[in-house]
Amino acid sequence: DIVMTQSPDSLAVSLGERATINCRSSQSVLYSANNKNYLAWYQKKPGQPPKLLIYWASTRDSGVPDRFSGSGSGTDFTLTISSLQAEDVAVYYCQQFYTTSRAFGQGTKVEIK
Amino acid sequence: EVRLEESGGGLVQPGGSLRLSCAASGFTFSSYYMYWVRQAPGKGLVWVSQIGGDGSDARYADSVRGRFTISRDNAKNTLYLQMNSLRDEDTALYYCARDHGGSGVEYWGQGTLVTVSS
């Protein structure tokens, strides 16, 4: 089974500054037949269900602010919040869709410094 | 509007059983893979199970395989999770969720809480 590992486990960023979260998969999630990375990112706030931010590793879901961006390919991926806002305080998760195990990373907690 | 509403959670003793339900509306239910995802108190998200639109391709996390059974009734637009031989570590908020074309989970319910305790 693919194991997803995020880093760091938590980070504190000043308002307006950049936040960067990394996600590494134990094997490639790039499907060569369509050149798509089967990797999604979610935002999870307390008391709310997760919210899909990014799919195909770099495609923003409808309505997601453009300060959120995803990058990477193969086994290494990054979620970037270009200018952190107060409402971005949350736990962020990556998830692979390459295999049927659909594993999540352990989560990265983003706070305001 | 897509809506997913879970029910069936509650307090159960170790070794007991529960059946979760998820009522779906606002989309063509039979056209989508559906998932169960859980979050234990203070822990991260864990994928539990998935099922194809026609009821085939049922898959399970290693931690629940052989104890949990996912199913769906497309005539009733309802997803189920039969949970047997429950353990303390199955205590969690269980979310029902809809696939996003094989690339993510786009819609989620609010979750139903399962507590396994004696």
Side-chain angles (χ1 to χ4, degrees):
Chain A
D1 285 354
I2 294 179
V3 176
M4 308 301 291
T5 304
Q6 293 181 226
S7 62
D9 289 334
S10 65
L11 74 161
V13 177
S14 300
L15 289 172
E17 296 300 307
R18 179 185 301 262
T20 301
I21 301 167
N22 300 301
C23 174
R24 174 167 288 177
S25 58
S26 60
Q27 66 184 73
S28 176
V29 298
L30 173 63
Y31 187 45
S32 57
N34 59 11
N35 201 37
K36 289 186 181 295
N37 287 282
Y38 282 64
L39 190 284
W41 288 98
Y42 303 89
Q43 177 190 67
K44 177 70 170 71
K45 296 181 179 180
Q48 298 182 20
K51 175 184 177 181
L52 178 64
L53 297 176
I54 303 284
Y55 59 95
W56 300 138
S58 61
T59 302
R60 267 190 303 276
D61 196 27
S62 176
V64 174
D66 60 7
R67 64 180 180 273
F68 291 93
S69 63
S71 62
S73 185
T75 61
D76 290 284
F77 301 90
T78 300
L79 176 70
T80 301
I81 309 172
S82 61
S83 176
L84 191 74
Q85 305 299 303
E87 61 265 32
D88 301 334
V89 170
V91 180
Y92 292 83
Y93 295 88
C94 61
Q95 183 190 22
Q96 66 85 14
F97 276 77
Y98 188 82
T99 67
T100 54
S101 72
R102 304 291 197 245
F104 288 92
Q106 81 275 19
T108 296
K109 187 174 185 179
V110 174
E111 300 172 306
I112 304 295
K113 184 186 293 183
Chain B
E1 178 192 5
V2 172
R3 293 195 64 180
L4 300 170
E5 185 170 356
E6 304 93 339
S7 60
L11 174 64
V12 61
Q13 292 187 338
S17 297
L18 276 178
R19 188 175 83 153
L20 306 184
S21 299
C22 172
S25 61
F27 64 100
T28 304
F29 183 66
S30 60
S31 295
Y32 290 88
Y33 268 76
M34 297 294 295
Y35 303 98
W36 288 101
V37 174
R38 70 184 182 187
Q39 185 173 33
K43 303 295 185 180
L45 299 173
V46 175
W47 171 82
V48 173
S49 184
Q50 71 177 49
I51 189 168
D54 61 358
S56 64
D57 199 25
R59 308 280 184 161
Y60 302 93
D62 289 345
S63 58
V64 307
R65 188 175 295 114
R67 301 187 297 123
F68 289 12
T69 302
I70 191 171
S71 62
R72 64 193 296 160
D73 185 333
N74 286 344
K76 295 182 177 180
N77 289 346
T78 302
L79 176 72
Y80 302 100
L81 185 68
Q82 177 67 44
M83 305 187 296
N84 298 331
S85 303
L86 283 161
R87 306 168 179 168
D88 291 350
E89 56 265 33
D90 295 319
T91 294
L93 186 64
Y94 284 74
Y95 292 102
C96 163
R98 195 198 86 173
D99 185 59
H100 182 256
S103 60
V105 176
E106 185 175 17
Y107 292 100
W108 301 74
Q110 291 298 314
T112 187
L113 182 62
V114 172
T115 303
V116 184
S117 176
S118 55

